[in-house]
Amino acid sequence: MASERSRKADRIRHVMETEGDSVERNARGFNEGRYESVARLEDYDAYKDRARAIKEDAIERLPELIEQVREAVEANGGTVYVADDAADANRYVRELARERAAETVVKSKSMTTEEIDLNEHLEAEDCEVWETDLGEFVLQVADEAPSHLVAPAIHQSREEIAALFNEYFEPEEELETAEELTAFAREYLGERIEDADIGVTGANFVTADTGTMALVTSEGNARKTVAVPDTHVAVAGVEKVIPTFEDLQPFVELIARSGTGQDITSYVSLFSPPVSTPPVDFDDDEPIADDPAERDFHLVLLDNGRMDMRDDDQLRETLYCIRCSACANSCANFQSVGGHVFGGETYSGGIATGWEAGVHGQESADEFNDLCTGCSRCVNQCPVKIDIPWINTVVRDRRNRGAEGGELDFLVEGLTPDEEPAGLDLQKRFFGNFSTLAKLGSATAPVSNWVADTLPSRALMERVIGVDRRRDLPEFERETFVEWFRNRDEPRPVDADYHAVVYPDLYTNYIRTDRGKAAVRTLEALGVAVEVPDVASSGRAPLSQGMIATAEDHARDVAADLESHLEAGYDVVVIEPSDLAMFRGEYERLLDADRYEALAERSYEVFEYVYGLLENGADPAPLRGVDAGGVGADIAYHSHCQQRTLELEAYTTDVLDRLGYDVLTSDVECCGMAGSFGYKSEYYELSMDVGDRLREQFESPDAADRTVVASGTSCLEQLDGLLARRPRHPISLVAPDESE
Amino acid sequence: METQLETFETNLGNVRTAVTRTSPAAFQDALADVVDEPAIGASLPFEEITLEGTDIVLDPTPDQLREAACGVTPAALGVADYGSVVLESTPAGAELAGLFPDRHVIVVRERDLVPDMASAFERLGDRFRNGNGDAVIATGPSATADMGELVYGVHGPRETHAVIVEE
Ligand code: SF4
């Protein structure tokens, strides 16, 4: 285990060093473009809803639509072949190549042919195969797999490509600039296209009513690949079929914006093959149009596990994916390591887990599934609204269940009253049962803090469960937040208009009790009658380890613990954003509908609640503004990934604004911590690399002198490690003093 | 208020496509100003204007296709809010003429402008269902960023120029 961890850490470190800068620069460029481009699109949300509805309907009716495609394509004079798996598809295309005695095959970019390794199969048939998309061409020459769905060579810099081409092609004059490299590739591939016997493309969409393939490209390579050779083979997953031609429209508006941040790519080709363009025989000297050679078209629709995914209630959503790459670009971890670490055999980025589990089997997702920290930043970026973190959690859970028992299980068995199988990785178990540990740690604090921090115990923790010793451990408070509240002797407001439970999440209850106390004082100052009952922990910790059954137990406990308060009209105020995200999000999958809705509808983030109170006429006078603050007026605020996904950031900044603070907000995707992620020794350095972007921003001249404020526990811990300034929770800036 | 034509023109500019406005009467002269020799092209399916009588080769051989500096082809539609044009494939090879040469001159009539993609797809849907089933929505020149910087003209035209024929 330990050696596997250090092997993984080595690999991540290596990729960060060699490819990290290119990936980060490109992915962040795509993100900026996306934010600007979708902001320009009126009805962005309506388009997303429509795109999602079209995909839901299409997958639901898939068998029927496939038959419709077959009829439409055959009516046009083409052929449709539904291939069960990779071998079946490859055999079909190989036979075509053999029949045509094809010597040269040109391809435009297609992840689906990567998935089945078509090139190798054609080469075994003695065909020369050339990738005509420039990014794919670079990878073909370098003999590498794509690192990104849309920009496959995202990890390569211009200098690296120049060195590669100069060595491989030995051109008379060394290639250097992007212009020169592009001109060289254009010419080289142009000749291949002229000679080609077969053109292979993928398809971004296939419309069932007209038998039209839509291909979205920036380069003209797909058009040439289709137009020049007289035989065209399109290979597409069955999930690419959508019902009607008009259904293409929302996708055309969304796909480029979501991926590279362009409003539209240079070409959206709509072919209903065989196309009417005459094929070009470059050895001939008759006018092209006078030579009406027969065109031949084959559409290979690939199943390869997709129909099983369709039957799988948890993985089905994966099939709605249009492979735009927004999830990868918006992923902080992806920005550091790219698809060569954050991906499987073929697919990469957030949704890769779903794809790989579906088409290559669950174990192919093992290597990278951990890298999804469930931060949820990708969820709102996905144009078809796929809950990507949930798919990752499900696959993680299934992998946990498939794991074998290990010999060290007894070590954590006492700490792990969970529902999980014996073979579950110890590290996962440890983090997944953090609530038990916190209880124990707090009961024995400060001794537990002191013991945990000694060198031998850090070494042991690192070796057995992989907790990196460079990371500070949380310090448990002796008196929990719930106990503090119980022991407190304060008069309750009478006739309060609002009654609220402050939810004692794990961190607030055992570790950061101050922010709980500050929340109570704030709400009471605004006239709310507050309770802090003993409530179970949310289940976030086990869920992020893929321990769904355990998380479900927590969810049921939380609902039961809060039931009487909800019935009595209490609202639930949540300080930890990742717990609020559970209540509003994942609990829908873990609880029955009534209990979920009762809780989700009445839960608020603490600043969302304060904002609501002020909007409804509460007097802010008792709150502490800038003048009485003790910290300066200038704040650098890092919200929290899940809080941003839920669009809650503005409540905090608004309340701080009203109280006179000048707030500057971070714009990087994530702090790089995400719960237990940064504690794990194999991911510690990746976590710091991601965090470094936030550090840079908060150390820039604009922010360097500001008080640093963050909403999430993990963000606070990460910022604490990154900066010399000690970060604080925003509630501590507004809560009235204890003495008052 | 900007007219649809003005919006189209502005957006063509945003996607690096030069614009010439002309009338049917002045069309061939205007075209001559923007065409590089040797040029190939596809006949225009329009009544009021034609490429007949110009130096543009309308039925190119493969060699002429390879050697052409410029291709002139009609657009079926112009999409104002994207600056896109819809290019249809024809048995005479319109697709090829708009794809191989370095410079692509697109002839689009003002009357064929539509405001947005939704209207474009409505029109195209009817055509596609009636068996007229190949078109490219082209927006600006061919481009790639795969070599580390944005470069135009890979596998397609480096320059695009729209000649808009006003009513
Ligand atoms: S999951 Fe969504 S965001 Fe990710 S590639 Fe697929 S469609 Fe795009």
Side-chain angles (χ1 to χ4, degrees), chain A residues 149 320-327 351 381-384 386 388:
Chain A
L149 284 170
Y320 305 162
C321 171
I322 60 169
R323 315 241 177 108
C324 70
S325 79
C327 52
I351 196 64
Q381 319 299 332
C382 174
V384 278
I386 298 177
I388 300 155

Side-chain angles (χ1 to χ4, degrees), chain A residues 132 135 161 182 186 194 209 218-221 223 246 253 257 266-268 270 272 275-278 281 285-288, chain B residues 59-62 66 82 89 91 95 99 117 125 128-129 133-135 137-139 141-144 146-147 153 155-157:
Chain A
T132 60
I161 299 170
T182 304
R186 174 188 159 127
E194 289 182 8
D209 60 344
S218 303
E219 304 171 12
N221 65 319
R223 296 171 62 192
E246 281 80 359
E253 313 256 10
R257 294 176 197 270
S266 306
Y267 301 118
V268 177
L270 306 167
S272 315
V275 295
S276 31
T277 302
D281 179 356
D285 50 15
E286 292 298 302
I288 298 162
Chain B
D59 288 307
T61 64
R66 207 175 355 215
Y82 277 89
S89 309
E95 165 83 355
L99 189 58
M117 267 317 156
F128 271 69
R129 258 183 293 277
D134 304 305
I137 305 172
T139 312
S142 169
T144 184
D146 284 334
M147 296 295 167
H155 296 308

Side-chain angles (χ1 to χ4, degrees), chain A residues 111 114-115 117 145-146 343-348 356 359-361 364-365 368:
Chain A
M111 288 304 280
E114 298 271 349
E115 175 187 323
D117 296 319
E345 271 177 68
T346 307
Y347 298 102
S348 73
E356 288 293 335
V359 305
H360 288 134
S364 69
F368 57 97

Side-chain angles (χ1 to χ4, degrees), chain A residues 710-730:
Chain A
S711 292
T713 304
S714 32
C715 322
L716 284 164
E717 282 173 356
Q718 176 75 318
L719 279 162
D720 208 11
L722 292 167
L723 297 172
R725 283 163 287 172
R726 192 162 166 77
R728 11 191 336 168
H729 191 279

